[in-house]
Amino acid sequence: MQTFPAIRSSDLSSLPGAGAAFFIPRTQLTFPKKLFFCHAKYAESGNAGLHNLIVAPANPLVAEKEEAKAVLTLFLKKRGQELTTLEIRNALNPYLETLYEEFGDILVDVVENFPNPATEERSAENLSIPSLEEEPVVPVSAPITTLNSKKLKALARLTDDGLTGKPPPHIIYLTALGMEIEVIKEVTSKFPSFAYYSLDRKIKPVVEVLLDLGIPKSDIPTILSKRPHLCGVRETEKLLIPTLTYLKNLGMDKKQLIKAIRRFPALLTCSRQKLESSIDLLYELGLPAENLGKVLTRGPQILGLSVETLKARAKYFHSLGVDVGSLLYRHPTIFALNIETHLKPLMEFFLERGFSTSDIASMISRFGSLYTFSLSNNIMPKWEFFSTMCYPKSDLVKFPQYFGYSLELRIKRRYAIMRESGVTLSLHRLLRLSDADLDEVLKQKMEKHVG
């Protein structure tokens, strides 16, 4: 750690981006050995080439927060966006969580190096800081190398705690719960911090909350493997329990909560503010309060989406003429699908084949799960076979559930049986009837036809 004399504001005029914000203690500036700097062109200034210089406070956590804040602000301004802190957090939290799962504690190193190649070291020239030219440059280790090292250390700790030569207590505890060591290794590989969690302060309190709720012991390993971050909650009683209480007060009973947590364990790590803002929006979109519990049981993933993302999906469905409130109640999971990669391609597929927008809206309203099917592996092959059948396209609009049946085991087989009988059934009767009922109906139709 190196300490510098206090800097007066009048001494800063010669630095690049003199109008930028500085974080300066009252009497002295203290720089950690590793510095965090943000370099970005002024978004609204006409002085091309000027850079913002942000000197991070001594506290590493504060430094990272200020760094992130500055980068986000400049990034958004350059795109003409002015978002509130809440909106920024809601939009970026899921992405940052994904990044953290991949890179763990070296995420800062990875972001700091981007987009430079991993083998490239930054120099004082690259930093462009005249006042610190004599400060020795600390090489930044290659992110991938560091990442591999952290993973290897974490994985090694699963079988040897470094003190007793035995696995750490929390690993023994988890395997006793039924969590297989291979699963623990997989989780640790993606999230190295998992190997270092304290049994008494981290793991046990979370497991006890889940067991007290009524979640079967056999489900705990699956929940923890889906969301190992649960074990990183610092104060279980101040986060998990209030979250569960809040959801219960909204009308979710124990059975519904258990199903929701099984499907989306990250639900328990959502902040109260995030939950409230998302649920308020669901009400605004037309979801009756009495249906909320059922919706959150079927599709708890929607609470992990940002408010802006939910609004965008709702706007898209509304533009098609779909009743958003009804769609939320019947098929909440499709609101978690990406518009560009899931929703629009399906829309374009049916438009190209002569269906109208209102036809597609009707199909979505009747069978929202349509969006969850693979376009290439499911929709296209079934459409091609439908084109050879004796039904008009209007039958698909009335019965889009056609795409939910097995092409080989049900659709082709039953259609062949019907053709051999010499009679015709409607598409929905052909596929929905049980085998016994189908035989009976075909027999009656054949007898009537002969008569």
Side-chain angles (χ1 to χ4, degrees), residues 102-230:
E102 181 177 356
F103 294 106
D105 294 334
I106 66 156
L107 178 58
V108 173
D109 282 343
V110 174
V111 174
E112 193 177 27
N113 271 317
F114 184 85
N116 296 332
T119 56
E120 197 173 305
E121 293 181 357
R122 293 182 299 170
S123 64
E125 268 185 5
N126 291 334
L127 291 175
S128 300
I129 308 173
S131 61
L132 298 179
E133 283 179 350
E134 297 180 1
E135 176 74 2
V137 178
V138 180
V140 179
S141 58
I144 301 304
T145 302
T146 308
L147 176 61
N148 289 338
S149 175
K150 279 189 171 287
K151 281 187 178 181
L152 291 174
K153 289 179 180 178
L155 290 170
R157 181 175 167 78
L158 299 182
T159 55
D160 185 351
D161 63 2
L163 297 174
T164 64
K166 298 178 181 179
H170 74 287
I171 301 301
I172 297 174
Y173 176 78
L174 290 172
T175 52
L177 272 176
M179 196 169 185
E180 296 179 1
I181 190 64
E182 290 304 318
V183 174
I184 297 175
K185 286 180 180 179
E186 185 178 347
V187 171
T188 303
S189 180
K190 295 178 181 178
F191 190 62
S193 298
F194 192 67
Y196 301 93
Y197 282 146
S198 163
L199 173 60
D200 294 325
R201 290 185 290 106
K202 298 284 187 179
I203 309 289
K204 266 188 179 180
V206 172
V207 172
E208 287 171 0
V209 168
L210 297 176
L211 292 174
D212 288 344
L213 178 63
I215 293 177
K217 181 181 175 181
S218 58
D219 287 342
I220 302 296
T222 302
I223 291 173
L224 296 185
S225 63
K226 284 184 178 180
R227 191 66 176 175
H229 308 72
L230 273 174

Side-chain angles (χ1 to χ4, degrees), residues 269-280:
T269 56
C270 293
S271 69
R272 174 67 172 270
Q273 188 178 30
K274 171 68 179 71
L275 292 175
E276 288 179 349
S277 59
S278 295
I279 289 169
D280 286 345

